[in-house]
Amino acid sequence: MKSRDNLVRLKNFQVNEKRRQLQQLQTMMAEFERMAKELEHQITVEEKKSGISDPNHFAYPTFAKAARQRADNLQVSIRDLRVQQESAELALEEAEAEFAKASALEERDTGMRARA
């Protein structure tokens, strides 16, 4: 049946799209983590240079304050992306199950036509 073949192709496309979305989320999280580590390194260097490591100190470096805020914002974004990743993983599992079901129906129909 042509409609089953189209359904299988559609489900395969959906699985591939969900995988691509999941990969994008993972790539973004890895990039944000890399950026946060780099900011933490810059903060450490700035604190050593100034000799002040207490963010509440009146002479704490402005650059370190700003970098700390950016690093904190990145950590919040990473947490948000983890939630999205969990959702994307569930959506991928559902899409894979639907694809497997559609493929099984297609194989059954092909087998029935071959016997006929």
Side-chain angles (χ1 to χ4, degrees):
M1 294 181 125
K2 207 57 157 163
S3 64
R4 287 251 203 252
D5 184 45
N6 288 339
L7 178 64
V8 170
R9 287 199 332 254
L10 172 65
K11 296 300 179 184
N12 187 38
F13 173 80
Q14 289 173 341
V15 166
N16 290 335
E17 182 64 17
K18 299 293 181 194
R19 282 187 184 134
R20 185 191 63 74
Q21 290 172 353
L22 184 58
Q23 182 63 38
Q24 272 186 322
L25 288 170
Q26 292 168 340
T27 301
M28 286 173 57
M29 285 181 0
E31 181 65 16
F32 286 0
E33 287 170 356
R34 184 197 63 74
M35 291 167 60
K37 285 179 185 173
E38 177 62 29
L39 286 169
E40 290 297 332
H41 174 71
Q42 291 175 358
I43 291 166
T44 303
V45 168
E46 193 68 22
E47 287 175 347
K48 284 181 183 177
K49 193 168 43 170
S50 71
I52 301 170
S53 60
D54 179 13
N56 296 319
H57 191 277
F58 74 94
Y60 188 74
T62 305
F63 174 79
K65 279 184 186 176
R68 187 172 302 282
Q69 182 62 48
R70 287 195 304 272
D72 291 346
N73 289 343
L74 285 170
Q75 292 303 326
V76 169
S77 295
I78 290 168
R79 282 193 298 275
D80 292 345
L81 288 173
R82 281 202 180 103
V83 171
Q84 289 180 32
Q85 178 184 7
E86 291 171 7
S87 176
E89 287 169 347
L90 289 173
L92 175 59
E93 288 176 18
E94 290 173 5
E96 287 173 337
E98 290 176 12
F99 173 68
K101 190 187 304 182
S103 294
L105 288 173
E106 175 67 19
E107 287 178 26
R108 184 193 70 182
D109 288 351
T110 303
M112 291 176 81
R113 281 189 298 237
R115 283 186 246 148

